[in-house]
Every structure is written in C-alpha cells, then in structure tokens.
Amino acid sequence: MDSFQFLKTAVVFLLATVIAVPLTKRFRLGSVLGYMIAGMVIGPQLLGLISDTEGVASISEFGVVLMLFVIGLELSPQRLWVMRRSVFGTGLLQVLSAAMAIGAVGYFLFGLSGRSAAIVGGSLALSSTAFGLQILAERKEAGSAYGRQAFSILLFQDLAAIPLIAAVPLLATTSASHGVDIYSVLRTIGVIVAVVVGGRYLLRPVFRFVAKADSVEVSTATALLVVMGTALIMELAHVSATLGAFLAGVLLADSEYRHEMESHIEPFKGLLLGLFFISVGMSMDMSLLLVQPLLVAELVIGLLLLKGLLLWPLARLPGGLNRSDSLRLIMLLASGGEFAFVVLKQAAEKQLIDGGQRDALVLAITLSMALTPLLVVLAARLLNVKPKKPTREYDTIDTDTPRVIIAGFGRMGQIIGRVLRAQGIPFVALEHSVEQVDASRRFGSINLFFGDPTRPELLRAAQADKAEVFVLATDDPETSLRTARLVKRQYPHLKIIARARNRQHVFRLMDMGIDEPVRETFHSSLKMTRKTLEALGLSHELAVDRVERFRRYDEDVLKKQALVYDDETKLIQSTRDAMADLQQLFEADAEPGAERERQRDKDKPLSAED
C-alpha cells in the first residue's frame, strides 16, 4: 500500500467513525454499532471506498489481542478465587446451557457436524461485553442487582472465550486427521506452560528495570512488547495469539505495574477495537437480507428467544433476582457478542464451517447486538425505569492550574476546600449536584464547577494532567469507584485521597490500589467513644489508649478482610474472630502488669508504619 492509498484509507476510516459513532451514541445505541454501520457503508457492498478488507481485518484483529490483555489485567487469580461463587456459578451455568442448547439446534436442525455444532454453540452462547458494560455505565446501573449479576456472567464469558478460541485449531486438526492429534495437544499445553512459567519469573524484573528509566514512552513500548511478544510466541506454536495476550495480562494482574500498563494500552486498544468492528461491518454480507430474509430472521429471533428462555431461571434461582431485574438481564445478555466474530472467523479459516454459514451467523449476531439497546430501553419503559442524567450542561472550567482536584463538594469536600483556600493552595472542585453547586456559590466565589467527575473530558478541562493530588470526596460509592478507576487509568501520577462510605466501599477502593481510604464516620466515632469512656470514669490516658488500640486493630482487620470481602461466609467468620480477639486483647489489659506493658510501648520510638 503506497502512501497515498494509506492516507486515503485512514481518512475514510476516521470520517466514517466521526459521523457514525456520535449518531448511534446520541440515540443510545452504543459506539460498537456505530463502528459496524461505518464499516458497512464504506465497505465493498455499499460505497466501496475500501477494497482491501483482508488487510484491514488482519491489522484490526490486534485490537482483540489488546482487549484480552486488558481483561487479563483485571483478573487477578486471587480476586477470581474470592469471586468464585458469583462468577463460576451463574456464569458457568449460562455458558454451558446456552452452548449445549444452541449446539443441539445446529446439529439436529441445521445439519452441522459435532465439532462445528460445538464451536457454533460456544460462540453464540457468549454475549457482548462491550455492549453490556457500556449500556450499564450509560444508564448508571452497574451497581444495581441485575447490573452486578450481568457483570459476573460477562466476566465468566470473557474467561470462557479463551479456551473456545484455543479449541478451534485443535478441533480442526482432530477433524482433519480423523482422531486426536496428541502432538498438537501436547504442543499447546507445553507452550502455555512455558509462557506461564517464563512470564512468572521474567515479566516483573523486566518492568522493574524499565521503571528505573522513568520514561512514559519506554513504559508504553514495554507494555506493547509484552503483548505482541507473547502473541508472536503463541502464533509460532500455532496456538491462538489472543490466548497468549490473556495469559500475559493474568500474570501481571497482581503486579504493582498493572494500572500503569492499563493506562498505556487503553488508547491503542480503543482505536484498534474500533477498527476491528469496522472490519466486521465491512465483511458482512448484507445481500443475505435480500436473498434469505427468512433464514436471517429465524437466526436472530431464535438466538434471542433461546438465550432468553435459558437466562430466566438462572436469573431467578442462582442469581436471586426479582422478575423485573430478570427481564432486564435477559434484554441485556440475550444477543450475541464480539468474541463470536473471532471464533467464527477462525472456524471458517480452519474449514469447520463454510463461508456461507459464517456470513449468516455474523449477520445474525450483528443484528441481535443492534437490537440490544432497543430491547433495554423497551424493558425500562415497560418497567417505568428511567436512566439518571443531569438537567443542565456542565460548566466550562476556566481557572489557573490547580494543585488539587476535589471530586464532590459536600460536607467533606467543603472542609478540604476551605483549608486549601486558607493555605493559598490552588484547587478545582467538581460537583454533580446542581443544588449543592448553587448553594455553595452563594457563600463566596470559589473554583467550584458543576460536572460529573466520571467524564474524561471534564477531568481534562480541570487540568488533571497538571494536578498533584486528587481528592475523591463524593458520597455515592458507585460514582466514587468509577471516578477512581478513570483517574487510575488516565492520570496514574495523581495521588488519590479517597473517602469511603463503609467497609465494602473501602474494600473495593483498596482493590484498585488506593492506599488507606478514609472512612467518613470512623474517626468521629472513635472520638465519641473516647468521650463516652471518659464519662464512664476512665482516665483520659486509659480512654485514649483503649481507643488507639481499637483503631490499630481494626485497620489491621480491615486489610485482612479486603482479601475475602466477596466471600460472605469468610467475611462473617473473620468478623466474629476479630471480635473475639479484640475482647481477649482488652481482657489482657486488665491483668496485673498490663499497665507497665502499655507504658513500655509508649516509650518506644514510633516506627515508619506507625
């Protein structure tokens, strides 16, 4: 491809994206559908502006590789073990039941072979993570009961996509040789083990060495090198490159470089994923809608109904959802997903399915995904549920460069802002409540602006890239977590001071790598406890000692419970054990000689941790 052709292709892609994506997002249909529509329009079947669809597809598939790496980064093995009941319960049942049911339909009604039916069933059992999470975020329902259940199912589906992608070449080899190719199976297992073992002992020292260079460019290059290098090793061994990227992400999920890598990879992932969905739209055979409209309609309606019927009992029984939430879960997850495009493309290349079958399935999946936002809106209207949104435009931020950004200007944010202003420290405060902004502005001219701190463009306008500290003082836990995730990814240099509503909120903030979240009522409760003990006759020194011992002990328990907070049984047992240990600690204080021990502890110099 010469330079002129390359520039022409790039301009066409960008122009189609700029037009199509904002239109679909304006009608709350999601950016993924916009990318696909852009691909259909500029592809060979409509305007024909791009002819080299194969070249575009080969480049864009790296977007899926990067997406799998980022998903792996989010899946700490320890975290997965803690979430095992929610993820490996309903999620496992959904994938197995849907895969077997769809595979059976393909085998008995459409005449697919056993291997082909298994691949088609597994691929269509998966839903769209990109659509699902985007819709939940736009409607601010990620923290709802059905939103949490949907996230657990989508998380397991992302995990299930990995062995499914890896199984395609194995099934093709087995099909070609009319038996199990032991060499291929052993080679696949050997390469996976080598990547896991090598990554376990090599990746962290490499990142530690690169970190000493203190260069963003080198860190970005290293992150891309890890992804591309692992994918290349897998390709050389005739194993899925996406599997290698996922394994690399999992191996680095517990490392201290996780958030930094995620922030470096995210822009490339978003751009290439958009290109991937455009290439899917370009490769869609739209003529099938004219030639075989009944077949396409049967596939779309059959997929939605079959997955919906299977999701209903799973949502009601293992998921524990009520009827309205179960209906909303079905509308969100009944469609096909983006991983099916990858699996079906590989299956067609390995001749497990023919080209016509692949085109019909891709078209049916795309149409089902296009219907998902409409079905979600329809369900919300039937249930009289409306998405939350601000009633006025966000303020334009025009101020000097701040050293501190305060997200949330309620009780805690106002106190922080008053002290900073008294110290002459420049700051910008962001508040999502119109009433709170108007009330605060009546008491003086301060750098307070109306806006949602979870929006990237607002943080850019607030000059978050030049600030030093980000104070997370919002009182809504879900908004707090979304803001923290955004700041961690886009502005990893910022020191985050986070307010926490309760212990569960603390656990989730700590899980993001935020050190010592400030519990909003903890310290005031300790002060009230001290005053109560003094009112009951304890000396000031003894009351202070008892409260300080409790504070240290509770913070230690908090760190231990953060590892098991998703396991209710272990969390309850931990709380009971902590109460018994604390009682024993105070009983020991009453024994002879305890006063001398406490005095000796006071005389010791404080350590760095204290």
Side-chain angles (χ1 to χ4, degrees):
M1 184 183 293
D2 57 29
S3 59
F4 173 78
Q5 191 65 28
F6 174 79
L7 287 174
K8 176 189 171 185
T9 302
V11 169
V12 169
F13 276 135
L14 294 173
L15 183 61
T17 300
V18 167
I19 294 173
V21 173
L23 284 175
T24 54
K25 293 196 73 172
R26 182 171 184 176
F27 291 102
R28 309 187 75 85
L29 299 178
S31 59
V32 174
L33 183 60
Y35 286 122
M36 290 184 178
I37 292 175
M40 287 187 282
V41 172
I42 66 177
Q45 299 192 48
L46 289 180
L47 297 182
L49 299 177
I50 304 296
S51 57
D52 186 14
T53 58
E54 291 298 324
V56 172
S58 61
I59 297 174
S60 65
E61 284 176 6
F62 191 59
V64 180
V65 172
L66 291 177
M67 180 173 70
L68 265 295
F69 176 71
V70 173
I71 290 174
L73 283 177
E74 299 285 351
L75 298 179
S76 162
Q78 185 182 37
R79 183 87 169 88
L80 270 181
W81 178 249
V82 171
M83 296 175 61
R84 64 190 182 279
R85 290 188 178 180
S86 57
V87 176
F88 297 99
T90 312
L92 175 62
L93 290 173
Q94 186 275 326
V95 171
L96 287 179
S97 61
M100 289 189 291
I102 296 172
V105 170
Y107 183 79
F108 290 107
L109 297 185
F110 291 90
L112 297 177
S113 65
R115 296 180 180 86
S116 301
I119 288 298
V120 170
S123 61
L124 295 184
L126 307 180
S127 307
S128 176
T129 302
F131 261 63
L133 296 184
Q134 182 185 57
I135 290 172
L136 288 174
E138 288 177 351
R139 300 184 64 83
K140 302 186 184 302
E141 294 173 343
S144 64
Y146 98 94
R148 291 192 298 270
Q149 193 63 59
F151 175 76
S152 297
I153 294 174
L154 290 171
L155 185 56
F156 183 83
Q157 289 181 355
D158 290 342
L159 289 172
I162 309 305
L164 185 62
I165 293 171
V168 172
L170 291 178
L171 287 175
T173 304
T174 303
S175 177
S177 60
H178 304 287
V180 178
D181 190 342
I182 300 296
Y183 173 72
S184 296
V185 174
L186 292 177
R187 180 184 60 197
T188 301
I189 295 174
V191 171
I192 292 174
V193 171
V195 168
V196 170
V197 174
R200 184 80 177 175
Y201 295 101
L202 292 178
L203 289 183
R204 291 196 184 190
V206 168
F207 277 98
R208 195 175 298 117
F209 172 76
V210 170
K212 294 179 180 178
D214 194 22
S215 171
V216 175
E217 295 81 3
V218 176
S219 297
T220 304
T222 307
L224 290 172
L225 175 62
V226 168
V227 180
M228 298 177 71
T230 312
L232 177 61
I233 292 173
M234 289 294 197
E235 282 288 339
L236 291 175
H238 303 289
V239 185
S240 171
T242 52
L243 175 60
F246 176 78
L247 288 176
V250 170
L251 291 172
L252 290 167
D254 280 328
S255 76
E256 61 272 30
Y257 308 104
R258 180 183 114 188
H259 295 291
E260 182 182 10
M261 283 185 293
E262 207 168 358
S263 64
H264 293 330
I265 291 292
E266 194 70 30
F268 296 96
K269 186 203 77 172
L271 182 64
L272 289 173
L273 263 183
L275 188 60
F276 170 76
F277 288 120
I278 289 176
S279 71
V280 170
M282 290 171 59
S283 64
M284 283 173 55
D285 188 0
M286 299 301 296
S287 62
L288 284 173
L289 281 176
L290 301 176
V291 178
Q292 295 178 300
L294 290 179
L295 174 63
V296 175
E298 288 174 359
L299 290 174
V300 174
I301 296 172
L303 176 64
L304 294 175
L305 286 179
L306 184 56
K307 290 181 72 174
L309 290 173
L310 293 172
L311 274 167
W312 178 263
L314 294 177
R316 295 283 288 154
L317 297 177
L321 300 179
N322 57 34
R323 291 183 178 181
S324 61
D325 281 348
S326 297
L327 178 62
R328 296 164 77 190
L329 183 74
I330 288 172
M331 296 301 187
L332 190 69
L333 300 182
S335 70
E338 55 270 7
F339 280 118
F341 299 139
V342 182
V343 176
L344 293 175
K345 183 176 185 297
Q346 286 189 341
E349 291 173 350
K350 301 294 183 182
Q351 298 181 348
L352 286 171
I353 58 175
D354 60 44
Q357 292 169 334
R358 181 255 177 195
D359 291 341
L361 290 172
V362 167
L363 183 58
I365 292 167
T366 304
L367 292 176
S368 71
M369 291 171 66
L371 289 173
T372 298
L374 301 176
L375 292 174
V376 170
V377 172
L378 176 63
R381 288 185 177 179
L382 289 175
L383 299 170
N384 197 25
V385 176
K386 297 180 180 179
K388 303 174 184 177
K389 58 181 181 180
T391 57
R392 81 178 193 194
E393 293 294 325
Y394 299 137
D395 290 343
T396 300
I397 299 177
D398 184 15
T399 184
D400 295 333
T401 302
R403 295 185 62 189
V404 179
I405 294 177
I406 304 174
F409 210 67
R411 297 167 297 160
M412 300 182 75
Q414 288 177 23
I415 294 173
I416 296 168
R418 286 161 62 187
V419 174
L420 292 178
R421 185 167 55 173
Q423 294 290 316
I425 298 174
F427 70 91
V428 166
L430 308 174
E431 173 57 52
H432 199 206
S433 168
V434 176
E435 294 79 9
Q436 184 65 55
V437 171
D438 293 339
S440 298
R441 283 178 174 172
R442 286 201 299 267
F443 291 93
S445 176
I446 56 175
N447 289 332
L448 172 62
F449 301 93
F450 171 73
D452 184 355
T454 63
R455 297 188 60 141
E457 61 269 28
L458 191 71
L459 296 184
R460 284 196 295 270
Q463 305 180 67
D465 58 324
K466 300 175 182 177
E468 302 171 31
V469 178
F470 192 93
V471 177
L472 193 49
T474 53
D475 59 357
D476 178 54
E478 291 302 325
T479 301
S480 168
L481 293 169
R482 288 197 300 272
T483 306
R485 191 176 295 112
L486 174 65
V487 173
K488 274 284 187 181
R489 288 185 179 180
Q490 297 200 357
Y491 306 101
H493 71 283
L494 283 176
K495 171 67 175 177
I496 299 179
I497 309 296
R499 164 192 183 179
R501 170 67 66 86
N502 49 39
R503 295 178 85 87
Q504 283 291 329
H505 191 188
V506 171
F507 296 149
R508 296 177 70 182
L509 287 169
M510 292 174 68
D511 200 38
M512 292 183 185
I514 296 176
D515 299 328
E516 299 180 355
V518 180
R519 287 176 276 176
E520 58 184 34
T521 59
F522 184 62
H523 295 284
S524 56
S525 299
L526 291 179
K527 185 173 182 179
M528 291 181 69
T529 303
R530 176 181 62 78
K531 287 181 172 291
T532 301
L533 293 176
E534 291 176 357
L536 291 172
L538 270 69
S539 67
H540 175 75
E541 291 76 13
L542 184 56
V544 169
D545 179 76
R546 290 289 173 91
V547 170
E548 178 63 15
R549 279 172 174 265
F550 174 82
R551 182 190 67 80
R552 294 191 181 190
Y553 185 79
D554 188 70
E555 289 180 350
D556 183 58
V557 170
L558 192 71
K559 293 177 182 178
K560 294 177 181 178
Q561 288 182 335
L563 301 176
V564 296
Y565 72 89
D566 275 317
D567 191 323
E568 186 176 357
T569 303
K570 288 186 177 180
L571 188 62
I572 293 174
Q573 186 60 46
S574 173
T575 303
R576 289 174 178 171
D577 293 342
M579 182 60 67
D581 291 343
L582 185 64
Q583 187 174 355
Q584 292 176 4
L585 180 67
F586 284 152
E587 286 175 355
D589 281 348
E591 295 178 358
E595 180 64 31
R596 289 194 299 272
E597 289 291 333
R598 285 198 300 270
Q599 189 61 43
R600 192 158 53 238
D601 289 341
K602 286 183 179 180
D603 294 338
K604 288 181 181 179
L606 292 177
S607 64
E609 294 182 355
D610 296 334

